[in-house]
Amino acid sequence: MANFVQGNLTRVLFGILAEETLALDTPTAPPNSVITVDNASNIAAGSTSIDCDALAAPVPAGSVIYFGAEIAVTTAAAAAIGDKTITISSLGTALASGSKIHFAGDVVATLRKPAASGATTLYVKQLTGAIANTAAGKAVSALGGVKTYTTASAPTGATSIQVKTTTAEITDDHTGIHEGLILLQGGKSADFSIDNGTTEETVFGDEVSYSNALVTSASWNISYSANVLPTDDGYYRLTYAAQQALAGVYGWVKAIDPTPAGASSGESEEGLCTVSGFSKTRPSDGIISMSSTFNGAGTPDLENAA
């Protein structure tokens, strides 16, 4: 039987680049970041700035960050890329579905099922990075947290982040986790293309000759369409990047095909991009949907199935 793959298992991840990352000679995918609220003060409801310990990685504008009580998690076995379970020591506090855990090596695991106090197995969304045995993680529960939206880019070492007006108090024992790349939900298509521009050149010769087509330019893009999920953090991030493109906001997109049988990873394309052509369709007899284009900036990184 032919080794076909089904498109409904494709994953598209998107992130916004902080000014610090965009200024690099060769920008890279935005990193994950843990934000620890300054232990000297609580952040009152109605605030537009959150004091924090010095950031270990930059945090861009246009991101959704949940702040909540930090819960320690320690692995009891190694986990590989693509795994959907993590074995841990006994969990001290219950975690809700959607809770995020930050591990060393810039890996964020998101629970796809709730975990009870005392649990030793966590059911997570497919891991994008490996986690070592006895790794210490920082978890933030999806319940009881405060949702914030960043309004400005914060560099490494910053001791505060700027946000939209907070709706509740954030206490000094709270932690926030920023994911550099986040899975876009509700996707229906993600069409990748590379377009090579040519110039025809004809030279003198002994006889009339055909012209030569020389490749003189190249570009790439991913045309993306999805059903609109207004509560999806990725959708907010995508619309922000489209709205602020004129202000110089760049994103990073990564499309990953399903893993073929017998392989450990699928094909992927990723790279720096801008977001353009954003549109939303509101049919009276159907589901509200959207479409946009990730326009590549520079050479894309292409990975074969392995």
Side-chain angles (χ1 to χ4, degrees):
M1 183 176 179
N3 192 15
F4 297 121
V5 291
Q6 290 181 271
N8 66 338
L9 296 176
T10 295
R11 295 182 296 151
V12 179
L13 300 97
F14 180 70
I16 294 175
L17 268 67
E19 293 174 3
E20 174 185 328
T21 309
L22 186 59
L24 297 173
D25 290 339
T26 305
T28 57
N32 299 328
S33 179
V34 174
I35 304 163
T36 303
V37 177
D38 189 308
N39 60 12
S41 60
N42 293 343
I43 311 302
S47 299
T48 56
S49 178
I50 297 175
D51 295 330
C52 59
D53 294 347
L55 295 175
V59 175
S63 292
V64 180
I65 300 174
Y66 292 87
F67 284 90
E70 182 180 307
I71 301 165
V73 175
T74 304
T75 60
I81 294 174
D83 284 355
K84 293 185 177 181
T85 59
I86 301 174
T87 302
I88 63 167
S89 302
S90 181
L91 187 63
T93 304
L95 290 173
S97 176
S99 299
K100 298 182 184 298
I101 311 168
H102 185 277
F103 291 96
D106 209 25
V107 179
V108 172
T110 302
L111 265 65
R112 55 187 173 88
K113 293 183 179 180
S117 177
T120 56
T121 299
L122 299 180
Y123 296 90
V124 299
K125 294 181 180 179
Q126 189 172 358
L127 293 175
T128 57
I131 303 172
N133 185 20
T134 69
K138 297 179 178 180
V140 174
S141 179
L143 289 180
V146 180
K147 190 176 185 179
T148 63
Y149 301 83
T150 58
T151 58
S153 186
T156 300
T159 55
S160 67
I161 61 170
Q162 305 305 306
V163 297
K164 289 184 178 181
T165 304
T166 57
T167 57
E169 182 183 47
I170 300 174
T171 63
D172 60 10
D173 64 342
H174 279 190
T175 294
I177 296 177
H178 167 258
E179 288 186 84
L181 293 178
I182 192 170
L183 180 67
L184 299 178
Q185 304 287 343
K188 297 192 295 182
S189 66
D191 303 326
F192 174 71
S193 66
I194 296 177
D195 299 313
N196 294 319
T198 60
T199 299
E200 290 194 357
E201 184 70 29
T202 304
V203 297
F204 296 131
D206 293 334
E207 59 185 47
V208 176
S209 60
Y210 285 94
S211 61
N212 292 315
L214 305 177
V215 176
T216 54
S217 65
S219 63
W220 65 275
N221 67 72
I222 295 176
S223 299
Y224 179 72
S225 66
N227 291 330
V228 169
L229 300 172
T231 57
D232 175 37
D233 296 341
Y235 175 72
Y236 174 81
R237 187 179 287 190
L238 180 60
T239 56
Y240 180 90
Q243 178 198 32
Q244 296 295 320
L246 191 61
V249 169
Y250 279 77
W252 190 278
V253 64
K254 182 173 185 177
I256 308 171
D257 284 342
T259 301
S264 58
S265 62
E267 285 189 294
S268 67
E269 309 94 29
E270 68 175 309
L272 184 67
C273 68
T274 58
V275 178
S276 69
F278 181 89
S279 64
K280 185 161 66 172
T281 303
R282 300 184 177 101
S284 62
D285 58 349
I287 296 172
I288 295 178
S289 62
M290 56 78 59
S291 63
S292 63
T293 300
F294 301 106
N295 294 302
T299 305
D301 183 8
L302 308 182
E303 295 291 340
N304 295 325

XYZ file of all heavy atoms in Angstrom, residues 14-15 17 22 220-222 241 249-254 271-275 293-298:
190
model
N 2.653 29.205 14.763
C 2.957 30.597 14.425
C 3.415 31.356 15.661
O 2.937 31.119 16.774
C 1.713 31.275 13.839
C 1.931 32.716 13.461
C 2.741 33.044 12.383
C 1.348 33.747 14.188
C 2.960 34.376 12.036
C 1.555 35.063 13.849
C 2.362 35.383 12.766
N 4.363 32.231 15.468
C 4.835 33.090 16.544
C 5.179 34.462 16.008
O 5.377 34.645 14.800
N 7.892 37.704 16.297
C 9.258 37.963 16.707
C 9.349 39.228 17.547
O 8.795 40.275 17.178
C 10.185 38.090 15.496
C 10.866 36.791 15.055
C 9.843 35.798 14.521
C 11.944 37.058 14.024
N 14.266 39.971 15.944
C 14.190 40.457 14.569
C 15.461 41.207 14.173
O 15.845 41.224 12.993
C 12.966 41.371 14.403
C 12.631 41.864 12.996
C 12.392 40.682 12.060
C 11.409 42.765 13.029
N 8.595 32.653 -1.413
C 7.784 31.530 -0.936
C 6.656 32.054 -0.056
O 6.740 33.156 0.497
C 8.621 30.505 -0.168
C 9.233 31.004 1.119
C 10.416 31.676 1.256
C 8.689 30.879 2.440
N 10.650 31.975 2.567
C 9.616 31.493 3.324
C 7.532 30.305 2.963
C 9.400 31.555 4.711
C 7.324 30.365 4.331
C 8.251 30.980 5.192
N 5.612 31.274 0.074
C 4.499 31.655 0.944
C 3.694 30.423 1.329
O 3.806 29.365 0.700
C 3.603 32.715 0.285
C 2.865 32.180 -0.919
O 1.935 31.389 -0.801
N 3.288 32.587 -2.116
N 2.906 30.586 2.374
C 1.938 29.571 2.793
C 0.573 30.236 2.846
O 0.359 31.185 3.606
C 2.289 28.977 4.170
C 3.619 28.220 4.105
C 1.185 28.041 4.659
C 4.092 27.672 5.443
N -0.623 40.171 14.115
C 0.473 40.280 13.150
C -0.006 40.895 11.837
O 0.719 41.676 11.200
C 1.091 38.911 12.900
N 5.856 44.469 12.155
C 5.758 43.205 12.898
C 5.984 42.031 11.954
O 5.344 41.924 10.908
C 4.387 43.078 13.591
C 4.172 41.671 14.131
C 4.279 44.081 14.724
N 6.914 41.158 12.339
C 7.199 39.938 11.582
C 6.832 38.724 12.429
O 6.903 38.768 13.660
C 8.678 39.854 11.204
C 9.062 40.664 9.992
C 9.215 42.049 10.077
C 9.269 40.058 8.755
C 9.569 42.800 8.970
C 9.628 40.796 7.643
C 9.777 42.172 7.755
O 10.124 42.911 6.653
N 6.480 37.662 11.741
C 6.160 36.416 12.419
C 7.100 35.308 11.998
O 8.021 35.497 11.196
N 6.853 34.132 12.569
C 7.578 32.918 12.199
C 6.540 31.814 12.053
O 5.760 31.565 12.963
C 8.595 32.540 13.277
C 9.539 31.455 12.851
C 9.306 30.098 12.872
C 10.851 31.609 12.319
N 10.393 29.416 12.394
C 11.367 30.324 12.052
C 11.657 32.714 12.066
C 12.644 30.119 11.531
C 12.926 32.511 11.549
C 13.402 31.225 11.280
N 6.505 31.184 10.893
C 5.519 30.141 10.640
C 6.225 28.805 10.428
O 7.327 28.754 9.861
C 4.637 30.496 9.413
C 5.459 30.556 8.133
C 3.478 29.516 9.273
N 5.598 27.738 10.898
C 6.124 26.393 10.693
C 4.963 25.456 10.401
O 4.038 25.337 11.212
C 6.896 25.907 11.921
C 7.511 24.513 11.737
C 8.410 24.137 12.901
C 9.112 22.799 12.645
N 10.049 22.441 13.735
N 9.955 29.497 8.483
C 10.809 30.649 8.259
C 10.152 31.952 8.675
O 8.988 32.001 9.086
N 10.934 33.012 8.566
C 10.478 34.367 8.871
C 9.425 34.786 7.862
O 9.519 34.440 6.673
C 11.684 35.309 8.808
C 11.483 36.776 9.179
C 11.169 36.905 10.657
C 12.737 37.573 8.824
N 8.418 35.533 8.311
C 7.337 35.902 7.396
C 6.614 37.155 7.855
O 6.757 37.607 8.994
C 6.332 34.757 7.268
S 5.393 34.444 8.797
N 5.840 37.716 6.948
C 4.837 38.715 7.292
C 3.468 38.096 7.011
O 3.364 37.092 6.306
C 4.990 39.997 6.456
O 4.900 39.663 5.054
C 6.328 40.669 6.730
N 2.426 38.692 7.575
C 1.062 38.189 7.371
C 0.298 39.210 6.529
O 0.233 40.394 6.877
C 0.337 37.964 8.711
C -1.102 37.486 8.465
C 1.087 36.942 9.557
N -2.215 34.962 4.246
C -1.019 34.432 3.599
C 0.204 34.776 4.431
O 0.391 35.922 4.834
C -0.852 35.016 2.185
O -1.993 34.681 1.389
C 0.390 34.448 1.512
N 1.007 33.749 4.696
C 2.301 33.962 5.335
C 3.316 34.171 4.209
O 3.626 33.237 3.469
C 2.701 32.748 6.176
C 1.721 32.409 7.273
C 0.877 31.319 7.158
C 1.656 33.182 8.423
C -0.012 31.001 8.167
C 0.754 32.870 9.442
C -0.078 31.790 9.310
N 3.792 35.396 4.050
C 4.750 35.709 3.003
C 6.166 35.567 3.544
O 6.563 36.290 4.461
C 4.542 37.144 2.499
C 3.210 37.309 1.814
O 2.916 36.630 0.843
N 2.389 38.214 2.325
N 6.924 34.635 2.967
C 8.264 34.372 3.454
C 9.203 35.553 3.267
O 9.128 36.283 2.284
N 10.102 35.734 4.234
C 11.151 36.749 4.162
C 12.484 36.018 4.280
O 12.828 35.520 5.348
C 10.997 37.774 5.289
N 13.206 35.907 3.183
C 14.436 35.133 3.194
C 14.184 33.686 2.816
O 13.083 33.303 2.411
